């Protein structure tokens, strides 16, 4: 078996105790993850897989206790299963909203005071109480307590049951904050003389954490310094590691565990260091005491700092793959003030002076420990096993490294399940977390207006034909990274074009909200720089980015031809050289589909057009029925619309496994389309429409629509739309005869015409035929015209002059543009 920590195939599971996985490499790894950590659905689906029944109405609770390693201790135990919403007979036996079910234990004989453990707690508070538990403690109802034997005092009932599992009697005070003065412990008094102070045969057995240390000290007056504490965690953690061998291991290590209990009950740092040195036969080194750092050497104990530090996570930057940089996110806990979080570099921790400076600068606390203490703290920070590795995402949506879709406040895991963040981060693997990009996105929330299926139908009714096609393309864009990384290696763009006020922008806004983004799109105007546009597009992964009015010449930032051709395949948005002496580059990847929203399409040649699926919007498409559907859609909240993405992702595995076969089927259905590229791009929308139809159980067949759009695109690619260059040539034809001799040279034998642009421009102005276009725009259009051959070519133009009343012809050299005569009259479509 493969160890989830180190990745080596030497892990194993014990036959006698299959609730943990053990790594064979104890020195370098030694991982012992619980089965419930590796397979969280074991607990998450507990109530579904083991529902209550007539034979055993408390089956979920019984199974939960069994999964915690409790078997022998269940004999004679009284417990109940409480569902989240209670039962019909006893509706008051319920847990708090959103917490799921729980196993509950009675604390009194009147069935009024209960304490229990939630199966799937939504936060850190795992316990659940019914009634006031302050003056009550739990005893095992099926066991007889011997006052002459020590009884362990635990925080929770499950911990107490774990001690019983190992043959030790125990009670539970239900909280680490319980006070001995609130409880009647007389039955544990072994003092027979009533005139003397009572002697309780009790042993503190609280968790090995700060709250457990406080509880141990609080109970010293009752336990008489008798305490036991595991090296890590609590009693249930101990039996989950050792299983059936727990009792034997406990007997062997009891002196060590009692030493940890004594350490928790000490009152001074010197006493703490002396107890440790006496038992372990070596100096303690760096240790924590009373929220301060101390260093115990061979001769003395030195005060180091009035704070303690916890490593929250390791932030890894992998901009240079061969030179990753790690930063340390620390939680500094001063002794007498609130905790402070900071991010430090390795250089800040490498020296005693650097450590003093960084803590004083970021947290306003002072480190004054010696060099040996500083190195010990640096080692403790860098080797923290509880701190996860964290990656900062620069985009929202699909994360190729983890396979999850990560947004600002929610995540879709590789299985298609919706997840909430943990302290602002998302878990994407064992001790691997990602920090979402701070891009505003919509968190989905089910509402009462519409289901995702109803949203799909309403969009289809508001924009007949165009709506279903756009939603099919949008769904395909959710998987754009998977599509481009396949053998296909391409993904088509989408263009919404047509008259003003025909619903293009409203459809773009609706689709954006359905992919959890509350935006219409990115305006392509002069206020936005090219670098800003590129970076904005790169913020989207596994979805689409909408570009608005990309055909506005005044604000045009992208070379549309190069952009469409490059981004159709698996290419980057931008590549720049790094400031190094080697060949390293910075790449800005394109991880989304591109939607164009404009009045007129800016695509010129067949190469561009064939890579774009075009949907035309006309005013005659707007009817009372479409208006009614649109008004109905406007009443749906943005968070409800975002549920469309979540509901599609519930079928994520199915879609990822079937989209290619659906595309192959769609290719065959479009066999009547002659152009291979047009057939391939339009097969994409037909394939994903069929997938959506299967998800939402709709019966509309898009095959005819896909064929119509593909053939229309083929006709557009075969012809040519009228351009500024055509207007220019029409203006030249309409000019007065003879006046163009200064700037035209016709060479019929070569089939070419030479034109001096400045001369034509001046003559047109004189004749009132002003060419209303910019010089640069006109030059670009002439270069794109099929008649264009070359520019800036020297040519001698002939013109007539009069000398002494006689007409003579002269020539003058000028720069000329050269065109094919037979192509100037090419009829545009």
């Amino acid at each position: 078996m493969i160890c989830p920590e180190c990745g080596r195939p030497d892990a194993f599971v014990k036959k006698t105790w299959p609730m943990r996985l053990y790594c064979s490499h104890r020195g370098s790894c030694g991982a012992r993850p619980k089965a419930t950590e590796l397979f969280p659905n074991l607990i998450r689906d507990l109530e579904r897989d083991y529902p209550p029944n007539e034979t055993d109405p408390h089956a979920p609770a019984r199974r939960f206790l069994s999964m915690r390693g409790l078997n022998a201790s269940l004999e004679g135990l009284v417990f109940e299963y409480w569902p989240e919403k209670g039962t019909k007979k006893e509706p008051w036996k319920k847990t708090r909203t959103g917490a799921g079910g729980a196993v509950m234990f009675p604390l009194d004989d009147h069935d009024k005071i209960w304490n229990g453990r939630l199966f799937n707690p939504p936060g850190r508070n795992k316990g659940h109480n019914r009634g006031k538990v302050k003056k009550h403690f739990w005893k095992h109802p099926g066991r007889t307590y011997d006052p002459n034997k020590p009884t362990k005092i635990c925080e929770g009932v499950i911990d107490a049951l774990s001690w019983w599992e190992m043959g030790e009697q125990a009670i539970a005070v239900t909280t680490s904050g319980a006070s001995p003065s609130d409880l009647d412990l007389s039955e544990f008094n072994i003092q027979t003389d009533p005139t003397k102070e009572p002697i309780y045969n009790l042993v503190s057995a609280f968790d090995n954490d700060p709250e457990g240390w406080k509880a141990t000290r609080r109970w010293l007056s009752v336990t008489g310094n008798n305490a036991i504490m595991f090296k890590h965690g609590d009693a249930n953690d101990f039996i989950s590691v050792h299983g059936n061998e727990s009792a034997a291991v406990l007997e062997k290590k009891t002196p060590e565990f009692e030493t940890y209990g004594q350490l928790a009950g000490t009152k001074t740092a010197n006493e703490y260091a002396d107890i440790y040195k006496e038992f372990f036969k070596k100096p303690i080194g760096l240790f924590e005491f009373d929220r301060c750092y101390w260093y115990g050497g061979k001769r003395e104990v030195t005060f180091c700092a009035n704070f303690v530090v916890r490593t929250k996570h390791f932030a890894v930057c992998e901009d240079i793959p061969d030179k990753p940089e790690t930063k340390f996110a620390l939680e500094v806990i001063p002794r007498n003030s609130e905790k402070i979080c900071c991010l430090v570099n390795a250089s800040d921790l490498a020296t005693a002076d650097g450590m003093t400076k960084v803590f004083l600068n970021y947290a306003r606390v002072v480190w004054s420990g010696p060099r040996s203490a500083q190195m010990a703290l640096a080692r403790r920070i860098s080797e923290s096993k509880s701190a996860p590795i964290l990656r900062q995402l620069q985009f929202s949506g699909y994360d190729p490294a983890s396979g999850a879709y990560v947004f600002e406040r929610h995540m879709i895991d590789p299985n298609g399940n919706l997840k909430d963040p943990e302290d602002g981060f998302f878990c994407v693997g064992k001790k691997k977390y990602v920090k979402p990009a701070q891009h505003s996105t919509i968190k989905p929330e089910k509402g009462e207006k519409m289901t995702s299926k109803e949203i799909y139908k309403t969009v289809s009714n508001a924009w007949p034909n165009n709506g279903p096609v756009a939603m099919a393309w949008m769904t395909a864009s959710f998987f754009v990274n998977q599509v481009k990384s396949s053998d296909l290696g391409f993904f088509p763009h989408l263009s919404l074009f047509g008259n003003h006020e025909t619903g293009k922008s409203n459809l773009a806004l609706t689709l954006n909200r359905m992919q959890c983004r509350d935006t219409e799109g990115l305006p392509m105007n002069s206020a936005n720089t090219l670098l800003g546009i590129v970076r904005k597009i790169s913020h989207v992964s596994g979805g689409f980015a909408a570009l608005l009015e990309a055909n506005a010449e005044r604000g045009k930032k992208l070379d549309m031809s190069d952009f469409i051709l490059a981004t159709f395949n698996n290419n980057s948005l931008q590549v720049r050289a790094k400031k190094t002496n080697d060949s390293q580059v910075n790449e800005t990847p394109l991880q989304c589909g591109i939607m164009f929203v404009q009045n007129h399409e800016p695509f010129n040649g067949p190469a561009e057009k064939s890579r774009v699926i075009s949907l035309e919007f006309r005013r005659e498409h707007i009817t009372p029925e479409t208006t009614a559907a649109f008004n109905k859609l406007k009443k749906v909240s943005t968070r409800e619309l975002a549920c469309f993405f979540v509901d599609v992702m519930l079928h994520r595995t199915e879609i990822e496994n079937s989209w290619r076969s659906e595309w192959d089927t769609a290719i065959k259905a479009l066999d009547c389309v002659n152009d291979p590229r047009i057939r391939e791009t339009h097969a994409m929308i037909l394939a994903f429409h069929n997938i959506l139809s299967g998800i939402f159980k709709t019966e509309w067949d898009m095959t005819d629509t896909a064929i119509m759009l593909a053939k229309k695109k083929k006709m557009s690619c075969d012809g040519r739309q009228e351009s500024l260059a055509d207007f220019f040539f029409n203006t030249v034809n309409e000019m007065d005869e003879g006046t163009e001799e200064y700037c035209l040279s016709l060479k019929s034998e070569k089939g070419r015409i030479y034109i001096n642009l400045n001369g034509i421009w001046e003559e047109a102005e004189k004749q009132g035929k002003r060419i209303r276009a910019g010089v640069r725009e006109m030059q670009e259009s002439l270069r794109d015209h099929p008649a264009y051959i070359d520019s800036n070519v020297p040519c001698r133009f002939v013109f007539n002059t009069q000398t002494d009343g006689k007409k003579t012809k002269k020539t003058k050299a000028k720069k000329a543009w050269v065109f094919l005569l037979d192509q100037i009259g090419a009829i545009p479509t």
Side-chain angles (χ1 to χ4, degrees):
M1 300 179 71
I2 297 176
C3 173
E5 293 284 346
C6 63
R8 288 176 285 192
D10 300 321
F12 64 92
V13 172
K14 296 180 180 179
K15 289 183 178 180
T16 57
W17 187 247
M19 297 307 294
R20 273 191 184 264
L21 183 73
Y22 299 83
C23 181
S24 301
H25 301 273
R26 293 187 178 182
S28 58
C29 179
R32 295 178 175 182
K34 295 180 181 179
T36 51
E37 294 175 351
L38 298 175
F39 307 101
N41 59 303
L42 292 176
I43 296 294
R44 186 178 61 242
D45 301 333
L46 181 69
E47 295 173 87
R48 185 198 68 185
D49 296 339
Y50 301 92
N53 52 72
E54 295 181 359
T55 306
D56 187 1
H58 309 297
R62 191 180 308 279
R63 180 61 183 175
F64 177 78
L65 294 174
S66 176
M67 293 175 69
R68 302 299 295 249
L70 304 175
N71 296 297
S73 59
L74 301 186
E75 183 181 350
L77 182 66
V78 177
F79 64 91
E80 291 187 4
Y81 160 62
W82 286 15
E84 180 181 337
K85 297 182 180 180
T87 61
K88 292 182 179 180
K89 292 182 179 180
E90 298 174 304
W92 58 273
K93 290 187 176 182
K94 62 181 180 179
T95 62
R96 55 183 179 270
T97 304
V103 54
M104 302 295 293
F105 307 94
L107 301 185
D108 66 344
D109 298 329
H110 306 290
D111 203 27
K112 292 183 178 180
I113 312 298
W114 293 77
N115 171 261
R117 171 65 157 80
L118 298 168
F119 299 151
N120 296 289
R124 295 182 178 179
N125 187 5
K126 303 175 183 178
H128 183 73
N129 294 324
R130 169 79 180 182
K132 295 182 179 180
V133 301
K134 183 177 181 181
K135 295 185 178 182
H136 295 81
F137 63 90
W138 176 88
K139 289 175 55 181
H140 198 305
R143 303 297 170 91
T144 301
Y145 285 78
D146 184 352
N148 296 315
K149 291 183 178 180
T151 298
K152 306 297 188 295
I153 305 172
C154 308
E155 177 181 343
V157 177
I158 290 181
D159 292 340
L161 288 171
S162 301
W163 280 107
W164 278 107
E165 196 73 22
M166 293 183 285
E168 301 285 335
Q169 56 190 28
I171 62 174
V173 294
T174 71
T175 172
S176 61
S179 175
S181 61
D182 293 333
L183 304 174
D184 180 9
L185 302 170
S186 57
E187 63 181 289
F188 301 103
N189 180 17
I190 59 174
Q191 175 61 268
T192 57
D193 189 347
T195 63
K196 295 182 179 181
E197 289 291 326
I199 300 175
Y200 298 102
N201 197 2
L202 297 172
V203 179
S204 295
F206 293 98
D207 299 356
N208 193 347
D209 57 28
E211 294 302 318
W213 302 336
K214 291 180 182 179
T216 301
R217 294 173 188 173
R218 190 183 305 114
W219 282 79
L220 286 176
S221 60
V222 174
T223 61
N225 293 329
N226 293 322
I228 190 169
M229 186 174 283
F230 295 101
K231 186 175 182 179
H232 303 290
D234 54 34
N236 191 249
D237 293 326
F238 183 78
I239 67 168
S240 69
V241 172
H242 299 288
N244 299 333
E245 302 171 359
S246 298
V249 176
L250 174 65
E251 183 179 0
K252 180 180 179 181
K253 293 194 173 185
T254 292
E256 179 184 344
F257 297 153
E258 288 177 344
T259 300
Y260 294 135
Q262 292 178 29
L263 291 173
T266 55
K267 297 180 179 180
T268 67
N270 284 305
E271 182 185 359
Y272 189 102
D274 290 343
I275 291 175
Y276 184 94
K277 187 176 181 180
E278 181 181 353
F279 181 81
F280 292 101
K281 310 302 181 184
K282 63 179 180 179
I284 188 172
L286 185 71
F287 67 98
E288 298 178 19
F289 185 83
D290 197 19
R291 293 179 72 174
C292 294
Y293 277 124
W294 299 75
Y295 188 80
K298 293 183 179 180
R299 298 181 180 179
E300 61 180 0
V301 179
T302 306
F303 176 79
C304 298
N306 61 341
F307 64 89
V308 293
V309 172
R310 302 286 180 264
T311 306
K312 293 190 67 177
H313 60 262
F314 303 109
V316 179
C317 177
E318 297 179 338
D319 290 343
I320 304 176
D322 296 335
K323 193 179 179 181
E325 180 182 357
T326 300
K327 294 186 178 182
F328 306 89
L330 305 180
E331 185 179 74
V332 182
I333 309 172
R335 187 176 185 275
N336 297 316
S337 60
E338 296 295 324
K339 62 184 179 182
I340 301 170
C341 297
C342 58
L343 190 67
V344 302
N345 297 313
S347 58
D348 298 326
L349 306 176
T351 63
D353 290 341
M355 188 172 284
T356 301
K357 181 178 179 181
V358 72
F359 285 128
L360 191 60
N361 184 38
Y362 289 137
R364 303 185 298 280
V365 291
V366 178
W367 169 267
S368 57
R371 170 68 175 174
S372 54
Q374 172 262 320
M375 289 302 297
L377 180 58
R379 190 177 299 111
R380 183 175 296 187
I381 290 172
S382 62
E383 295 177 358
S384 173
K385 292 185 177 181
S386 61
I389 299 173
L390 181 72
R391 287 186 297 115
Q392 170 68 64
L393 298 184
Q394 302 297 326
F395 50 81
S396 57
Y398 181 70
D399 174 31
S402 65
Y405 288 77
V406 183
F407 296 88
E408 182 185 17
R409 291 174 292 169
H410 68 283
M411 179 186 81
I412 305 293
D413 69 10
N415 296 320
N417 300 311
L418 181 65
K419 300 288 185 180
D420 290 325
E422 302 174 14
D423 296 328
F425 309 136
F426 294 97
C427 180
V428 293
K430 182 65 175 178
K431 292 187 179 180
K432 294 182 180 180
Y433 287 74
V434 293
K435 183 178 181 180
Q438 297 305 301
H439 305 148
S440 180
T441 55
I442 305 169
K443 184 175 182 179
E445 184 178 284
K446 294 288 185 181
E448 299 178 354
K449 295 292 183 182
M450 286 188 188
T451 64
S452 294
K453 180 177 180 179
E454 291 170 338
I455 290 172
Y456 178 80
K457 289 184 176 180
T458 306
V459 172
S460 301
N461 293 333
W463 292 276
N465 291 334
N466 286 347
V469 173
M471 284 189 291
W473 179 86
M474 174 190 67
T475 304
S477 74
F478 298 163
F479 303 91
V480 58
N481 294 280
Q482 293 91 318
V483 171
K484 282 191 173 182
S485 62
S486 70
D487 59 327
L488 293 188
F490 72 86
F491 190 81
H493 307 300
L494 182 70
S495 171
L496 311 182
F497 74 99
N499 298 330
H500 291 283
E501 301 180 355
T502 51
K504 303 184 300 295
S505 298
N506 284 323
L507 179 56
L509 177 61
T510 301
L511 295 178
N512 262 306
R513 288 173 173 172
M514 291 168 69
Q515 66 161 356
C516 305
R517 306 177 193 279
D518 195 8
T519 178
E520 181 183 337
L522 178 63
M524 301 292 287
N525 54 39
S526 57
N528 298 326
T529 64
L530 177 59
L531 184 58
I533 293 170
V534 168
R535 288 184 176 177
K536 193 72 174 178
I537 294 173
S538 69
H539 290 172
V540 182
S541 177
F544 69 88
L547 305 182
L548 308 182
E549 298 299 337
N551 58 349
E553 295 292 339
R554 185 178 299 176
K556 192 172 181 180
K557 293 292 180 181
L558 295 174
D559 185 322
M560 198 56 62
S561 177
D562 292 345
F563 179 78
I564 290 175
L565 296 180
T567 55
F568 179 76
N569 299 107
N570 201 10
N571 296 317
S572 299
L573 272 172
Q574 190 179 59
V575 180
R576 287 189 170 187
K578 286 188 176 181
K579 294 181 179 180
T580 60
N581 294 326
D582 52 22
S583 59
Q584 296 182 51
V585 295
N586 281 322
E587 291 192 52
T588 304
L590 175 67
Q591 301 179 110
C592 65
I594 301 296
M595 174 192 289
F596 300 96
V597 184
Q598 62 253 311
N599 296 330
H600 305 286
E601 290 192 311
F603 320 125
N604 295 318
E608 300 170 41
K609 294 179 181 180
S610 62
R611 288 168 166 83
V612 181
I613 298 170
S614 298
L615 302 179
E616 185 176 7
F617 290 71
R618 296 180 179 179
R619 289 192 175 90
E620 54 266 30
H621 293 166
I622 302 176
T623 64
E625 291 77 14
T626 62
T627 303
F630 175 70
N631 291 335
K632 185 179 179 182
L633 196 64
K634 285 172 63 177
K635 297 178 182 179
V636 182
S637 68
T638 56
R639 300 185 73 171
E640 284 184 74
L641 288 173
C643 289
F644 181 89
F645 178 81
V646 176
D647 289 339
V648 169
M649 284 297 157
L650 289 174
H651 304 268
R652 176 182 174 180
T653 303
E654 174 189 342
I655 295 173
E656 289 178 332
N657 292 333
S658 66
W659 73 265
R660 180 54 200 266
S661 60
E662 290 285 354
W663 184 83
D664 290 335
T665 302
I667 279 287
K668 296 177 182 177
L670 300 181
D671 191 55
C672 57
V673 181
N674 296 327
D675 190 292
R677 177 168 289 130
I678 294 175
R679 184 168 63 251
E680 292 172 352
T681 56
H682 288 73
M684 193 69 68
I685 58 170
L686 180 57
F688 277 88
H689 169 78
N690 293 336
I691 290 173
L692 279 181
S693 296
I695 293 174
F696 296 120
K697 309 301 180 184
T698 60
E699 298 179 355
W700 184 58
D701 187 358
M702 192 195 281
T703 305
D704 292 341
T705 301
I707 292 174
M708 181 269 294
L709 291 172
K711 288 187 174 181
K712 191 174 181 180
K713 177 66 68 173
K714 181 68 169 62
M715 292 175 61
S716 176
C717 291
D718 290 342
R720 186 177 58 80
Q721 295 185 351
E722 190 171 11
S723 64
L724 282 174
D726 296 300
F727 173 76
F728 173 82
F729 290 129
N730 290 337
T731 302
V732 172
N733 288 333
E734 293 173 359
M735 292 174 65
D736 297 338
E737 188 177 352
T739 57
E740 67 276 10
E741 60 184 2
Y742 299 92
C743 41
L744 292 180
S745 178
L746 187 65
K747 298 184 178 181
S748 302
E749 69 281 2
K750 294 184 178 181
R752 300 182 179 186
I753 185 172
Y754 292 72
I755 301 177
N756 176 256
L757 288 187
N758 292 335
I760 286 290
W761 222 279
E762 292 174 3
E763 288 296 328
E765 289 283 346
K766 291 178 183 178
Q767 298 181 26
K769 296 180 175 61
R770 184 178 179 183
I771 302 174
R772 298 182 180 274
V775 176
R776 181 176 297 178
E777 296 170 9
M778 180 61 73
Q779 289 175 339
E780 290 180 358
S781 182
L782 288 172
R783 286 191 178 95
D784 292 335
H785 197 278
Y788 172 76
I789 297 178
D790 202 355
S791 62
N792 207 31
V793 176
C795 178
R796 302 197 69 84
F797 291 91
V798 179
F799 61 96
N800 296 319
T801 60
Q802 284 190 349
T803 304
D804 298 331
K806 296 182 179 180
K807 290 184 178 182
T808 58
K809 291 185 178 181
K810 293 186 177 182
T811 60
K812 186 175 182 179
K814 295 183 180 181
K815 297 294 184 181
W817 288 58
V818 186
F819 301 93
L820 290 170
L821 279 173
D822 59 351
Q823 288 296 320
I824 287 180
I827 300 174
T829 58

